[in-house]
Amino acid sequence: MKTILVCNQKGGVGKSLVADEIAFSFERSGIPVSFYDLDTQGGTLHKTHEADGAQVAVVDTPGPCRRGWRTG
C-alpha cells in the first residue's frame, strides 16, 4: 500500500483540504483508500477509516513531521 502524508510546519495552510481532495480523487477513480485524520481540529470531511483492500492511505497531520517519523 502507498502512503501519502500531508504535513507542513505552519497551521492553516490547507493540509486537511489537500488530504480530503487527494482521497476524493482516488475514490472517484474507484481506488479504495484508507484515511487517517491525526489533526484534532477536525477540519476534514473524511473520518479516520481503514478501507478493505485499500491501495492508498492518506494521512492528514496536525503539523510538522519529525525526523524518523514513519507510518505503518
Side-chain angles (χ1 to χ4, degrees), residues 6-68:
V6 182
C7 64
N8 189 303
Q9 290 181 330
K10 186 172 182 330
V13 295
K15 293 181 297 286
S16 296
L17 174 69
V18 169
D20 261 336
E21 290 301 322
I22 290 169
F24 283 132
S25 178
F26 282 115
E27 291 169 347
R28 281 191 299 267
S29 298
I31 298 171
V33 60
S34 290
F35 192 89
Y36 301 94
D37 183 5
L38 306 180
D39 191 342
T40 56
Q41 290 187 354
T44 60
L45 296 174
H46 286 86
K47 299 300 176 206
T48 297
H49 72 279
E50 291 186 22
D52 292 333
Q55 298 175 20
V56 179
V58 177
V59 182
D60 178 31
T61 65
C65 298
R66 291 181 173 70
R67 185 175 211 170

